[in-house]
């Protein structure tokens, strides 16, 4: 029990560090960010940061990769709806989630492109290609569509929309603009029978996020609380906070 609780505590500390790092990278960029600022915002020791991340580069890589391990889009019987939902959810969360926002800046910043190998961009291309491939297997794609090429182009177009929305409106219109992107592009991708059923409105991302959150709450409610684990966690944290200085700036 204690080992499990310690592992959970380590994961929570890692997440806390990543969230603090995301806010720092998003505000200052890769070159301007410092481990000291991350330590200050996370409220942990420098040793705690280096326990999880060996360098600033590793920390930046962690921020980029974390967006791919969070709750994703629910699986759909229509893979093109799942494809659209993925883009719309990111559009909804980008102005609200520092991890996504920082991931975008780290992926597109010229000062880190070579160091991080394109950041999150290859991961998003791969994810979208997999969805398009699955859509093709279900007969949802027009005959000319090549999943790898289409994933590359739509990811590039989405990235361009995000940059332009950020420059012109601080991402205030990002969901509206990404919705417009899909409404323009999907007629050249989806067979007519599927196209007519796709939900691509600007509020689609928020709807899917609410759906995911409701499912999470229902799952946690079904599992119930574990009072014993909570007591053990509190005891372990109290002892280890003194030992390793977590919570000391």
């Amino acid at each position: 029990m204690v080992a499990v609780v310690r592992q959970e505590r380590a994961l929570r500390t890692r997440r806390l560090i990543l969230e603090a790092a995301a806010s720092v990278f998003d505000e200052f960029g890769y070159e301007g960010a410092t481990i000291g600022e991350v330590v200050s915002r996370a409220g942990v020791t420098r040793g705690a940061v280096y326990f999880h991340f060996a360098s600033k580069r590793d920390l930046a890589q962690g921020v980029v990769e974390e967006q791919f391990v969070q709750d994703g889009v629910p699986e759909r019987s229509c893979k093109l709806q799942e494809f659209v939902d993925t883009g719309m959810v990111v559009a909804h969360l980008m102005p609200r989630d520092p991890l996504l926002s920082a991931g975008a800046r780290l992926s597109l910043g010229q000062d880190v492109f070579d160091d991080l190998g394109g950041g999150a961009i290859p991961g998003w291309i791969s994810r979208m290609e997999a969805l398009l491939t699955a859509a093709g297997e279900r007969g949802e794609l027009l005959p000319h569509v090549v999943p790898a090429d289409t994933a590359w182009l739509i990811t590039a177009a989405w990235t361009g929309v995000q940059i332009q929305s950020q420059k012109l409106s601080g991402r205030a219109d990002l969901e509206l603009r990404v919705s417009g992107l899909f409404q323009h592009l999907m007629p050249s991708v989806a067979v007519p029978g599927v196209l007519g059923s796709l939900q691509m409105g600007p509020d689609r991302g928020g709807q899917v996020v609410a759906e995911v959150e409701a499912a999470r709450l229902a799952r946690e409610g079904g599992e119930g609380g574990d009072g014993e684990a909570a007591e053990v966690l509190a005891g372990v944290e109290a002892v280890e906070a003194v030992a390793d200085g977590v919570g000391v700036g």
Side-chain angles (χ1 to χ4, degrees):
M1 176 70 74
V2 171
V4 171
V5 170
R6 282 176 174 165
Q7 182 180 22
E8 182 168 330
R9 178 175 177 272
L11 290 173
R12 292 197 300 123
T13 299
R14 184 180 187 276
R15 173 74 182 191
L16 182 67
I17 293 168
L18 284 173
E19 289 175 348
S23 69
V24 173
F25 284 127
D26 198 30
E27 182 174 346
F28 298 106
Y30 183 78
E31 288 298 329
T34 65
I35 295 294
E37 184 63 26
V38 174
V39 166
S40 176
R41 295 194 185 189
V44 301
T45 63
R46 188 175 291 266
V49 172
Y50 282 117
F51 174 81
H52 290 280
F53 303 98
S55 64
K56 184 168 78 168
R57 183 198 180 283
D58 284 349
L59 190 53
Q61 190 68 47
V63 168
V64 168
E65 293 173 355
E66 185 69 11
Q67 60 194 279
F68 295 110
V69 302
Q70 301 184 71
D71 286 344
V73 170
E75 187 173 351
R76 311 289 187 193
S77 58
C78 176
K79 289 301 171 181
L80 282 184
Q81 184 63 66
E82 195 173 334
F83 179 86
V84 171
D85 286 352
T86 299
M88 292 306 304
V89 164
V90 176
H92 177 77
L93 293 178
M94 183 73 74
R96 301 168 171 86
D97 186 344
L99 280 163
L100 280 173
S101 184
R105 179 162 184 173
L106 289 168
S107 299
L108 300 172
Q110 293 300 313
D111 56 342
V112 294
F113 182 81
D114 293 335
D115 202 27
L116 295 181
I121 294 173
W124 285 117
I125 293 174
S126 177
R127 176 170 291 189
M128 300 307 257
E129 180 182 349
L131 289 171
L132 287 171
T133 299
E137 293 169 352
R138 288 165 169 77
E140 299 173 10
L141 302 182
L142 292 169
H144 69 273
V145 175
V146 178
D149 294 344
T150 302
W152 196 101
L153 288 169
I154 289 184
T155 302
W158 195 106
T159 300
V161 168
Q162 188 274 139
I163 292 173
Q164 191 150 306
S165 174
Q166 182 181 18
K167 294 292 186 183
L168 297 180
S169 73
R171 297 194 183 119
D173 65 350
L174 182 56
E175 292 176 87
L176 177 65
R177 300 304 182 183
V178 171
S179 172
L181 173 69
F182 279 120
Q183 291 180 45
H184 276 78
L185 295 183
M186 294 311 289
S188 66
V189 174
V191 297
V194 171
L195 180 63
S197 70
L198 293 179
Q199 299 182 52
M200 299 181 284
D203 59 347
R204 179 61 182 174
Q207 293 171 354
V208 176
V209 168
E211 177 187 349
V212 171
E213 179 63 12
R216 183 187 67 80
L217 292 174
R219 186 170 60 251
E220 291 178 352
E223 293 172 352
D226 189 334
E228 181 182 355
E231 289 180 9
V232 173
L233 177 59
V236 170
E237 289 186 342
V239 172
E240 293 190 352
V242 174
D244 65 13
V246 172
V248 179

